[in-house]
Amino acid sequence: MNGNLFQLFCDRVAEPGKICIETAGGERYSYADLIELSGRMARALSELGVAPGDRVAVQVEKSVPALVLYLATLRAGAVYLPLNTAYTLAELRYFIEDAEPRLVICDPSKRTGVLEIAQDAGASVATLDAQGRGSWTDLVANASAEFETVPRTADDLAAILYTSGTTGRSKGAMLTHDNLVSNALTLCDIWQFSASDVLLHALPIYHTHGLFVATNCVLFSGASMIFLPKFDANAIFAALPRASVMMGVPTFYTRLLDDPRLTRESCAHMRLFISGSAPLLAETHREWQARTGHAILERYGMTETGMSTSNPYDRDRVPGTVGFPLPGVSIRVVDPETGRALPNGEIGMIEVKGPNVFKGYWRNPEKTAAEFREGGFFITGDLGKIDERSYVHIVGRGKDLIITGGFNVYPKEIESEIDSLPGVVESAVIGIPHPDFGEGVTAVIVPERGASIETDAVLSELEQRLAKFKLPKRVVVIDELPRNTMGKVQKNVLREQYKDLYSRARAI
Ligand code: AMP
């Protein structure tokens, strides 16, 4: 059987004339249009010498042709390699040298720099801009739409996504056709997607969330999407009356909560709001429900695994949890040192096994071997627990765990206490090198606009609530936490910024 995601998607298209994508500018593309354009692109790829298994690296702004390029690459049996638009030329050099793509498609503004790197790596270069113009479009315009989809097995590579690499160099996660297809079918089912859905798509398409979770749910259920170039509150409010589902990162939700247009009425047409890629504060969940009547459905996943857990569609969506393992996916919490499974309620390393779990890191068998346990469980690097009702809780990245004076401190516990104090918007608790304790628990707090935070008052309040070893040694107040484009707080940036906090304190 042909396991090519593109073929499996095509086989499910029941109404080719139905509109699949509408852009903010009002352009409309039917399913038949996407299939036709993907045929022309797949032909252009093969005319450029892209053979099955070759990588196609793409660093372009979000647009419909950019999305079709993903489909066309799979259709040609090649491997899609999307790259964050924020990467500089120096960073691109690493990805291109590591992945050795046959073709690189970039924004026209980067052409000269990319050409130099690509030539060294033996790759061709084409361009595509945010309006869908460029040398790639010219090539495609002249290509025939006739293209026989290249057969692929379920285990063949469909995509390589580089991890964000907050520790060390980023690694290419190899995702197979079956990783993507099985996850898409499961999500369509549990989130009850149907052809009558209209997804509000404001996420980037170089990341698993916007590229696979959002897009594949639409394509595999015959639904439609309103395709926005990026998050923009005005565009979201304009689209809400016609949309039925929105997928977003937590910052989408906090920004919309700041807008008076967010009401029960403006969300009356919606059936589902989904959040992921970073922790959604329980408070955001509650405020959203109070304002709109909708309980945000939080789910958990990562580049290497696609989606692994989800709150239920038709039962309690519990704030501060990421729900249950998806059907067919096993989750366990283990002692990080020994790999021994821990009883419910205890915090440990979250490990995942299932058809969603990637094949390994590109050309990095040592790293791959180090991240899998015998028996096939992938070590996610996230700490968490499973509660008595079987809901999974994420406590944070393992590398964010603070060890102070020999005690383990889980930042999330402290952050939850700080966030509940009056005048606090949010906080990040980090470990900073400390001459006596190894690491000093350090709280970085963002106050509400206009509120003043007394650090002594914060500490004396926390003293009532937390054991002494968990108390922050220092509290720092700043206007905003550093975040990446997916809304994740960059604790590595904070740790770097404050790395001398305790050595300075001693010198004074
Ligand atoms: P990425 O590979 O960029 O998708 O990042 C994956 C990481 O994001 C996970 O390993 C988690 O640390 C974090 N993450 C994703 N979804 C959630 C969530 N719902 N709650 C908490 N952390 C999350």
Side-chain angles (χ1 to χ4, degrees), residues 207-208 277-279 298-303 322 382 394 397 488:
H207 185 268
T208 187
S277 291
E298 187 172 6
R299 92 300 178 278
Y300 159 71
M302 62 196 301
T303 303
V322 293
D382 288 316
I394 309 293
R397 297 292 296 163
K488 286 191 227 298

Side-chain angles (χ1 to χ4, degrees), residues 191-497:
W191 293 339
Q192 302 193 9
F193 266 83
S194 76
S196 52
D197 273 313
V198 179
L199 178 85
L200 194 36
H201 193 308
L203 292 160
I205 54 167
Y206 50 71
H207 185 268
T208 187
H209 196 169
L211 182 61
F212 301 139
V213 185
T215 305
N216 290 345
C217 275
V218 168
L219 297 180
F220 277 76
S221 59
S224 317
M225 55 182 151
I226 301 173
F227 206 61
L228 304 178
K230 60 179 177 30
F231 177 87
D232 171 73
N234 291 336
I236 299 272
F237 283 110
L240 275 177
R242 289 183 299 126
S244 61
V245 182
M246 186 175 90
M247 292 188 194
V249 295
T251 34
F252 283 19
Y253 292 100
T254 49
R255 286 194 212 160
L256 292 173
L257 273 167
D258 279 343
D259 197 303
R261 289 173 289 183
L262 186 78
T263 58
R264 267 174 197 265
E265 293 68 41
S266 59
C267 296
H269 194 255
M270 295 292 289
R271 77 170 175 89
L272 184 59
F273 289 96
I274 301 175
S275 176
S277 291
L280 181 81
L281 293 180
E283 193 190 322
T284 310
H285 188 287
R286 291 191 193 102
E287 273 183 46
W288 189 271
Q289 188 158 20
R291 280 272 282 286
T292 68
H294 288 276
I296 299 172
L297 183 154
E298 187 172 6
R299 92 300 178 278
Y300 159 71
M302 62 196 301
T303 303
E304 290 94 328
T305 63
M307 298 303 101
S308 293
T309 76
S310 171
N311 265 282
Y313 186 77
D314 43 17
R315 277 176 292 151
D316 270 359
R317 299 175 195 165
V318 179
T321 81
V322 293
F324 308 123
L326 298 182
V329 175
S330 307
I331 296 267
R332 65 181 190 188
V333 175
V334 305
D335 179 318
E337 303 303 324
T338 63
R340 182 180 57 88
L342 295 173
N344 282 0
E346 280 190 34
I347 294 175
M349 178 60 66
I350 296 186
E351 298 188 347
V352 184
K353 185 176 170 180
N356 55 323
V357 176
F358 74 135
K359 207 170 167 168
Y361 294 110
W362 173 254
R363 292 184 178 162
N364 202 338
E366 296 81 27
K367 194 74 194 160
T368 304
E371 305 289 330
F372 279 90
R373 297 240 187 235
E374 251 170 68
F377 274 90
F378 171 62
I379 306 168
T380 63
D382 288 316
L383 296 173
K385 66 174 182 183
I386 300 176
D387 70 18
E388 65 290 347
R389 293 169 69 197
S390 301
Y391 284 82
V392 176
H393 299 236
I394 309 293
V395 173
R397 297 292 296 163
K399 63 178 163 42
D400 294 332
L401 174 75
I402 303 168
I403 304 179
T404 181
F407 290 106
N408 285 0
V409 174
Y410 298 101
K412 190 172 176 195
E413 185 188 358
I414 327 290
E415 289 160 4
S416 305
E417 293 297 349
I418 297 175
D419 295 349
S420 69
L421 300 176
V424 174
V425 175
E426 61 176 350
S427 59
V429 169
I430 50 175
I432 303 284
H434 189 289
D436 298 328
F437 293 93
E439 285 186 294
V441 179
T442 309
V444 183
I445 301 187
V446 178
E448 279 171 9
R449 220 172 290 146
S452 81
I453 299 272
E454 295 297 330
T455 54
D456 287 348
V458 169
L459 284 174
S460 60
E461 191 56 45
L462 293 178
E463 270 169 26
Q464 325 281 320
R465 309 179 184 203
L466 295 167
K468 196 156 185 282
F469 70 92
K470 298 179 187 170
L471 289 176
K473 304 253 173 307
R474 291 282 284 267
V475 175
V476 182
V477 178
I478 61 174
D479 291 341
E480 208 179 338
L481 296 177
R483 284 196 148 81
N484 71 7
T485 42
M486 297 309 292
K488 286 191 227 298
V489 175
Q490 294 169 304
K491 288 193 169 177
N492 52 328
V493 173
L494 291 173
R495 280 193 287 260
E496 178 59 26
Q497 193 172 343

